Amino acid sequence: MNQPTTALPPPGPRARFVGGFGRRVLLTVDTEEEFDWSGPFTRDRHGLDHLPRLRNFQEFCEGLGVVPSYLVDWPVATSSLAKDILAGPVARGTAEVGIQLHPWVNPPFEEEVSERNSFAGNLAPDIERAKFLRLRDAIAENFGASPQLYRAGRYGFGPETAELLRDAGVGVDTSFRPLFDYSRRYGPDYSGYPLEPFWLDRERSVLELPLTTVYWGMLRRQGQLLYPMIARMPRMSGLLAKLGLLERIPLTPEGTTIDEAIRALDMALDDGLPLIVLSFHSPSLAPGYTPYVETDADLDALYDWFRAVYAYLGQHGVQPTSVAEIMRSVAK
């Protein structure tokens, strides 16, 4: 088994929110370049052709009363078109901008391009820091806002990342993906981490907002023990899901149907999860750039997914939130 270069920090204290915050949902968008998901990582073979679609998506979100958090990486952060589309909504407070680090396209270019190094947390700490700070400063300059949310590209959080965020004045991270283990590809193992927001340090200076994934089925309480074993047997995992025994469902329109999402939301609500974090990749806003949206019908389905999910959450009293509101509402 491939192992990450270094281990993740343990979870800190569970976060508590002030009265009146209730149960909320946050939308995060990995706002990034288009590249070949099945090919090797490269410095230069990528595009930004889907960026005009961000305008339509932002208008859609505003119609739903949703404030999306766009986690911007280097090619997008330095794009004048992205600035033209997003700077206005960010200034109005109808969108937020955060940081997403794809090391292979983010200067300075000092490391070898490889799968291991595609996880920022595997880089030497000084290289991770230099790339992060260069990106943070570019976002602040081009979008007119100080980013307060971070996601390591490919969920590549590392042992020095929390200290880096604290030093840089970035108070919230959303890199952790509970129930997923990327260690076979040199990445982190998040399988044992909680779904609830928690602090990454005892000083409570960096708040973790894990991406929401749940186990569903009669054996869901044993999911943490069983799923890692059956995930290596696709036929077995498919059979258990079909029989309603055990299924892992991430809350994203990419590869998750509306029916699956509703079942996952039921589990999250039953478990009393205070914050649901949704995510997807911006290239999915145009057909042909991700495996999840290949046709116009797929794109229509993505928008339908968001309509259905937000309508269902609204019926259950779960309202959209923003990173700014979360930071105001978390109890220190």
Side-chain angles (χ1 to χ4, degrees):
M1 178 184 296
N2 297 324
Q3 295 292 336
T5 302
T6 44
L8 291 169
R14 179 179 175 180
R16 305 287 181 180
F17 296 95
V18 299
F21 182 72
R23 303 171 84 174
R24 299 301 185 103
V25 55
L26 177 71
L27 174 58
T28 63
V29 185
D30 287 0
T31 313
E32 61 190 38
E33 74 284 3
E34 309 123 13
F35 60 94
D36 182 0
W37 286 29
S38 62
F41 295 97
T42 69
R43 299 278 192 216
D44 55 3
R45 291 201 292 272
H46 58 262
L48 294 172
D49 293 340
H50 76 284
L51 285 186
R53 302 294 184 102
L54 289 173
R55 196 184 308 275
N56 296 334
F57 184 72
Q58 176 61 31
E59 292 174 356
F60 171 77
C61 288
E62 291 182 18
L64 292 177
V66 172
V67 178
S69 291
Y70 295 101
L71 293 150
V72 172
D73 77 348
W74 182 264
V76 178
T78 54
S79 162
S80 59
L81 178 58
K83 175 183 177 180
D84 290 343
I85 294 171
L86 297 180
V90 169
R92 295 193 301 270
T94 57
E96 295 178 316
V97 65
I99 305 166
Q100 184 193 186
L101 178 56
H102 279 185
W104 60 95
V105 292
N106 198 122
F109 299 124
E110 300 180 16
E111 82 288 1
E112 175 188 0
V113 176
S114 67
E115 184 171 26
R116 178 185 287 273
N117 287 338
S118 69
F119 299 95
N122 285 345
L123 300 175
D126 60 329
I127 297 178
E128 179 187 15
R129 181 175 293 264
K131 288 176 179 286
F132 176 91
L133 294 177
R134 184 82 68 90
L135 177 56
R136 180 204 61 179
D137 292 346
I139 292 171
E141 179 179 354
N142 293 335
F143 293 91
S146 177
Q148 287 298 305
L149 182 66
Y150 176 64
R151 174 171 295 149
R154 308 196 74 211
Y155 317 107
F157 201 90
E160 307 295 332
T161 310
E163 181 179 356
L164 168 58
L165 295 177
R166 182 171 60 249
D167 293 346
V170 176
V172 187
D173 179 75
T174 181
S175 302
F176 284 53
R177 202 180 191 198
L179 313 191
F180 281 81
D181 179 2
Y182 297 100
S183 60
R184 288 180 175 272
R185 293 181 288 170
Y186 304 101
D189 179 4
Y190 295 114
S191 56
Y193 281 81
L195 285 173
E196 298 86 355
F198 61 90
W199 296 99
L200 284 170
D201 54 2
R202 293 187 177 277
E203 296 79 14
R204 305 190 181 196
S205 59
V206 182
L207 177 65
E208 179 61 40
L209 306 180
L211 287 157
T212 304
T213 299
V214 304
Y215 289 128
W216 177 87
M218 295 179 62
L219 300 177
R220 65 182 299 259
R221 298 300 180 190
Q222 291 77 44
Q224 189 168 337
L225 174 65
L226 296 176
Y227 196 86
M229 294 185 290
I230 67 171
R232 302 171 190 174
M233 301 177 284
R235 290 185 180 179
M236 177 64 70
S237 60
L239 177 62
L240 290 180
K242 185 176 181 179
L243 294 174
L245 295 176
L246 183 62
E247 185 177 4
R248 184 182 65 183
I249 307 177
L251 277 168
T252 171
E254 297 173 323
T256 299
T257 67
I258 291 174
D259 288 344
E260 290 167 342
I262 297 303
R263 287 192 275 119
L265 290 172
D266 283 339
M267 297 300 96
L269 294 172
D270 287 347
D271 289 346
L273 195 65
L275 180 69
I276 294 168
V277 181
L278 311 177
S279 69
F280 78 106
H281 300 83
S282 66
S284 286
L285 292 173
Y289 295 116
T290 72
Y292 307 107
V293 176
E294 298 180 339
T295 66
D296 287 334
D298 292 337
L299 182 58
D300 290 341
L302 181 144
Y303 278 93
D304 287 342
W305 191 95
F306 281 115
R307 291 188 187 96
V309 163
Y310 278 103
Y312 192 78
L313 287 170
Q315 292 169 8
H316 289 78
V318 180
Q319 299 300 315
T321 190
S322 64
V323 174
E325 184 176 32
I326 290 169
M327 294 179 71
R328 290 193 302 266
S329 302
V330 69
K332 287 293 187 76

